[in-house]
């Protein structure tokens, strides 16, 4: 049994699958938009809302090619820098406001830091955990900076292999072991056929001491729901209150408040259905087991002292007497009482 991983008032364990509403920069640089995201995330079942904290000049060179193809880009031939620069508007004051709004609306505040200064800022705001983005799984200086805070870490693993994940975990383990490893496919959006949910089991087998989550970039919620059956206990999903909003490339591939609510309901149902992890007779099955199974029943009248043969018996419901699985044990036995057609046979009816 894995130890609980506590993040603020939330706990990662096998009893409930948590949801991170990944708002990212879907606030479009506007605090009112951010508050609406926070309110809708809380109202529709998210446990956390997560933003992103970066400055374009610390993240990418000015001519770095984009790895996405979004028709809504202002500059069609622009770079990563051009896109990120439009959205890195928030400063310390705005992030403090985000944290305050999350407290007001009673949802855990998270943000992914992309540089050391972002880590320091978020730490000063009292975040209860850090997310390390897939693209930074080999960014050891940043990982070490985050690990030294001794706060739990959500380690995303998109576009990485087993050795790279092990190396990142090993580095974090120099400081603590409070890690949730997040399966992820780093495509925006991810085609369903590349979701590779079976990798969740692979991660569970290779990292037995850690909880496994799923950072999902597929469209819709079906794949996220299915991930729970594979073992994910924390789901991260891009979130917006309006998919038609412009400026951020994430709006159109995010889920809506309505979809978030459905995701919450559906994964709770899946968690209920996962059960105890072993096969045994459940309490709810006891009555059916007794009344729907069969007993050996007399096929004709027999008198005391007569020898029982197979032609004298027929398996019938209910299963309150001798099971048909034990028929060979009683063939050739003598009756100690009279038995009549369509009566259930019991061991007490037989001579020893």
């Amino acid at each position: 049994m894995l130890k609980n991983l506590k993040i603020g008032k939330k706990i990662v364990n096998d009893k409930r699958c948590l949801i991170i509403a990944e708002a990212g920069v879907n606030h479009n640089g506007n605090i009112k938009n951010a508050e609406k995201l926070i309110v809708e995330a809380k109202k529709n079942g998210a446990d956390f809302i997560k933003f992103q904290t970066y400055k374009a000049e610390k993240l990418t060179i000015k001519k770095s090619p984009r790895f996405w193809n979004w028709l809504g880009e202002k500059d069609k031939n622009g770079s990563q820098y051009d896109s990120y620069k439009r959205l890195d508007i928030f400063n310390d004051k705005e992030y403090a406001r985000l944290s305050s709004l999350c407290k007001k609306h009673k949802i855990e505040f998270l943000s992914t830091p992309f540089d050391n200064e972002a880590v320091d800022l978020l730490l000063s705001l009292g975040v209860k955990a850090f997310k390390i983005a897939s693209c930074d799984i080999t960014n050891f200086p940043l990982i070490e900076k985050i690990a030294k805070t001794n706060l739990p870490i959500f380690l995303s693993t998109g576009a990485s292999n087993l050795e790279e994940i092990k190396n990142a975990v090993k580095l974090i383990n120099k400081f603590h072991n409070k890690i949730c490893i997040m399966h992820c496919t780093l495509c925006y959006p991810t085609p369903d056929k590349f979701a590779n949910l079976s990798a969740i089991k692979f991660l569970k087998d290779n990292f037995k001491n850690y909880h496994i989550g799923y950072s999902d970039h597929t469209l819709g919620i079906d794949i996220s729901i299915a991930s729970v059956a594979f073992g994910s206990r924390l789901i991260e999903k891009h979130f917006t209150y309006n998919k038609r909003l412009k400026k951020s490339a994430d709006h159109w591939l995010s889920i809506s408040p309505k979809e978030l609510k459905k995701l919450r309901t559906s994964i709770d149902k899946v968690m209920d259905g996962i059960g105890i992890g072993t096969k045994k007779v459940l309490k709810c099955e006891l009555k059916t087991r007794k009344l729907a199974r069969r007993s050996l029943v007399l096929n004709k009248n027999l008198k005391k002292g007569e020898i029982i043969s197979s032609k004298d018996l027929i398996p019938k419901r209910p299963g309150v007497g001798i099971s048909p699985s034990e028929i060979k044990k009683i063939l050739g036995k003598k009756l100690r009482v009279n038995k009549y057609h369509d009566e259930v046979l019991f061991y007490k009816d037989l001579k020893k």
Side-chain angles (χ1 to χ4, degrees):
M1 180 69 70
L2 289 175
K3 293 182 179 179
N4 290 341
L5 182 60
K6 189 174 182 181
I7 296 94
K9 295 180 180 179
K10 301 295 180 177
I11 297 175
V12 181
N13 58 26
D14 279 331
K15 295 180 180 179
R16 186 172 183 267
C17 182
L18 303 181
I19 298 175
I20 299 174
E22 162 65 310
V25 289
N26 280 347
H27 48 66
N28 285 356
N30 184 296
I31 282 290
K32 288 185 178 179
N33 290 346
E35 183 167 19
K36 190 166 185 178
L37 286 164
I38 290 166
V39 170
E40 291 296 327
K42 172 64 178 179
K43 184 169 71 173
N44 291 286
D47 299 284
F48 309 90
I49 185 164
K50 188 178 74 62
F51 298 92
Q52 294 175 4
T53 306
Y54 63 79
K55 289 298 177 184
E57 59 269 18
K58 295 179 182 178
L59 181 60
T60 179
I61 63 172
K62 291 186 177 181
K63 293 184 179 181
S64 182
R66 293 172 179 147
F67 51 86
W68 61 88
N69 183 19
W70 178 52
L71 297 177
E73 289 286 2
K74 183 178 179 180
D75 183 355
K76 305 295 184 185
N77 298 313
S79 65
Q80 289 188 46
Y81 179 87
D82 299 326
S83 300
Y84 288 126
K85 192 61 182 173
R86 293 184 72 202
L87 293 162
D88 71 351
I89 301 167
F90 285 175
N91 289 307
D92 294 15
K93 182 180 178 181
E94 286 79 17
Y95 283 107
R97 181 68 177 145
L98 290 180
S99 177
S100 177
L101 286 169
C102 287
K103 289 177 183 176
K104 173 185 175 182
H105 295 291
K106 297 181 180 178
I107 186 170
E108 288 289 344
F109 165 69
L110 296 172
S111 188
T112 302
F114 287 87
D115 55 66
N116 288 351
E117 290 74 20
V119 175
D120 292 335
L121 169 61
L122 295 172
L123 193 61
S124 73
L125 296 177
V127 292
K128 301 299 190 296
F130 281 103
K131 166 74 186 296
I132 295 175
S134 293
C135 55
D136 280 324
I137 198 164
T138 57
N139 186 352
F140 281 14
L142 181 62
I143 292 176
E144 184 167 333
K145 171 79 173 178
I146 292 172
K148 284 181 177 178
T149 69
N150 200 38
L151 290 176
I153 289 173
F154 304 137
L155 178 67
S156 206
T157 61
S160 63
N161 57 43
L162 180 59
E163 183 179 4
E164 289 169 333
I165 301 168
K166 284 183 175 180
N167 288 339
V169 170
K170 183 178 180 180
L171 176 57
I172 296 168
N173 282 164
K174 291 181 179 180
F175 305 95
H176 65 79
N177 64 351
K178 296 174 286 189
I179 309 168
C180 179
I181 299 171
M182 309 285 287
H183 169 54
C184 178
T185 301
L186 207 59
C187 303
Y188 297 92
T190 297
D192 292 352
K193 65 180 180 180
F194 291 135
N196 194 22
L197 292 183
S198 57
I200 294 171
K201 185 179 184 303
F202 175 81
L203 291 173
K204 287 173 69 70
D205 290 342
N206 280 277
F207 299 95
K208 297 182 184 297
N209 296 323
Y210 301 97
H211 293 283
I212 307 299
Y214 179 44
S215 183
D216 182 18
H217 296 136
T218 63
L219 297 177
I221 61 174
D222 293 345
I223 300 298
S224 283
I225 295 167
S227 76
V228 179
F230 281 83
S232 68
R233 293 299 176 261
L234 178 72
I235 291 173
E236 179 184 29
K237 194 74 177 162
H238 282 275
F239 175 70
T240 184
Y241 63 82
N242 184 351
K243 296 185 184 186
R244 296 185 181 90
L245 290 177
K246 301 183 184 302
K247 203 167 186 179
S248 168
D250 290 340
H251 287 294
W252 74 277
L253 56 78
S254 299
I255 59 172
S256 66
K258 184 178 179 181
E259 288 174 308
L260 174 59
K261 185 175 184 178
K262 175 63 176 173
L263 177 62
R264 173 80 275 162
T265 301
S266 297
I267 66 173
D268 286 347
K269 285 184 177 180
V270 174
M271 285 299 297
D272 284 343
I274 285 174
I276 58 177
T278 187
K279 185 62 182 173
K280 68 177 185 178
V281 180
L282 302 176
K283 185 178 180 180
C284 70
E285 297 177 302
L286 292 176
K287 184 176 181 180
T288 307
R289 174 185 169 92
K290 182 177 180 180
L291 300 180
R293 287 193 175 187
R294 303 192 189 208
S295 300
L296 293 174
V297 173
L298 272 292
N299 203 21
K300 63 181 182 180
N301 296 336
L302 289 178
K303 293 181 180 180
K304 176 181 177 180
E306 287 195 66
I307 296 173
I308 298 173
S309 67
S310 59
K311 66 181 180 179
D312 300 325
L313 303 172
I314 182 172
K316 285 189 179 183
R317 295 177 180 179
V320 295
I322 299 173
S323 169
S325 66
E326 298 180 340
I327 188 170
K328 290 185 178 180
K329 294 181 181 179
I330 65 166
L331 294 179
K333 298 279 187 182
K334 291 183 179 180
L335 286 173
R336 58 181 296 274
V337 293
N338 293 333
K339 294 292 290 186
Y340 301 95
H341 175 260
D342 216 36
E343 279 191 342
V344 175
L345 186 66
F346 297 93
Y347 275 111
K348 67 181 180 179
D349 299 328
L350 305 174
K351 289 186 177 180
K352 293 182 179 179

